[in-house]
Amino acid sequence: MTPATATSERGPTGRGQTESASSGSLAWSMLGLVWMALVVYVLGRWVADSEAFSPMPIAGPDEISPYKVAALRLIEFVSVVLIVWTFYRYLYLPWREAGRLTLSGMLVVGGLLAYPIDTMINYSEYAFAWSHHAINLGAWAEYVPGHNGPTRFAEGLFWAPSQYLYLGIGLGSLQLAGIRWLRRRNPSWSFARAMAPTFAVLCLIDLVVEWSFIGLEIYSYPRSWEVLTLNAGSQYQFPLFEMVFVATYASFYTLVLHSEEVNGAGRSFIERGAARLPAGLQQPARLFAAIGYAPTAAFVGFFGPWMVVAETADVVAPVPSYLGFG
């Protein structure tokens, strides 16, 4: 039994909360509706703006190695394949087995729809530098309410969305599998205790992934706290807290998947109360709950902390022209 299908095989007789949950339990669904309205508004205005909805120019004076551009194209291809595989593995297979859209599938949809939050890392400062060589159409930052940082940079449309999936439900499922393994070997361990070593593993995985991306100049972190930064002051600097932020984001997925294991299929903490709705509204309510949960996980675990770092950074590294903003 795999992590992706295990939750879909549990019946509704788990040990958790009953369906007498208060009406406030549907707040995640309402948040999902609000998020989708915001996404439609922001992306709609971006697409309608011919200047903003255009690739960042690749201008000198700096030039990147053609081998790094080739590596970027390979990563873009692999990233698209990963999106397709993630939908197949976590959405289609559990759906085929259970005959309905399961929690893992809804989280995949929510994770991908959380991608428009991406520009918030540059909400006030240029904290994340994108390569102009990536396939891009600029960025929608200008239309995000309250955005006062740079608005013209090269959102990597082919490689960036996949990170919301493999760093989200991918790492979350991996962490949950690790927790199960640790608790089988150490029956006295609580769930919280088993989370600590698995969280450290997620940090190491992210370190390897991001160090590779930075080395290939796919992106850079120009702003950081020097004391917590490798290669501080260099274009290739790596903020060590970045891997903690990513692991925290992934852990949000771990927690919601675990809650379904404990409480039974359809009774994760983001779905409580959905069963009290008319039958035709139950599945949409659950789906919109996942759509609301995913960007919340991204903001609380990653973008919120990064906004603080961007404002308080004490080291600002120079970046080449093809990683700059317009």
Side-chain angles (χ1 to χ4, degrees), residues 6 12 31 60 95 106 114 151-152 156 158 170 203 209-210 228 244 252 264-265 269 280 290 324:
L31 184 59
W95 190 349
M106 292 185 288
T151 58
R152 280 287 288 163
F158 276 55
C203 289
V209 172
E210 298 222 42
L228 294 175
V244 176
F252 273 89
F269 60 75

Side-chain angles (χ1 to χ4, degrees), residues 45-56 136-143 151-153:
R45 293 201 62 186
W46 171 54
V47 171
D49 185 337
S50 59
E51 182 178 351
F53 190 66
S54 61
M56 286 291 290
N136 76 92
L137 288 168
W140 50 91
E142 179 179 354
Y143 298 108
T151 58
R152 280 287 288 163
F153 44 89

Side-chain angles (χ1 to χ4, degrees), residues 58-77:
I58 302 174
D62 302 312
E63 296 184 359
I64 191 173
S65 163
Y67 297 104
K68 290 183 177 180
V69 175
L72 170 58
R73 292 291 172 263
L74 176 61
I75 287 173
E76 288 175 325
F77 172 77

Side-chain angles (χ1 to χ4, degrees), residues 156-168:
L157 295 178
F158 276 55
W159 66 261
S162 66
Q163 292 200 332
Y164 285 78
L165 300 182
Y166 66 77
L167 296 178

Side-chain angles (χ1 to χ4, degrees), residues 179-260:
I179 289 171
R180 291 196 202 102
W181 181 80
L182 286 172
R183 296 184 74 189
R184 283 196 302 267
R185 292 179 61 89
N186 305 276
S188 64
W189 281 29
S190 67
F191 179 84
R193 182 177 181 181
M195 276 198 76
T198 56
F199 188 92
V201 171
L202 299 190
C203 289
L204 292 176
I205 292 173
D206 180 71
L207 175 62
V208 172
V209 172
E210 298 222 42
W211 197 261
S212 301
F213 276 55
I214 291 171
L216 291 170
E217 298 186 88
I218 295 173
Y219 57 72
S220 176
Y221 292 102
R223 302 181 69 85
S224 187
W225 294 326
E226 184 173 8
V227 69
L228 294 175
T229 304
L230 298 178
N231 292 336
S234 162
Q235 167 196 336
Y236 302 101
Q237 69 181 14
F238 179 71
L240 291 172
F241 46 81
E242 160 69 8
M243 59 184 179
V244 176
F245 296 166
V246 169
T248 301
Y249 167 65
S251 294
F252 273 89
Y253 286 82
T254 306
L255 291 172
V256 71
L257 291 170
H258 174 67
S259 76
E260 186 185 51

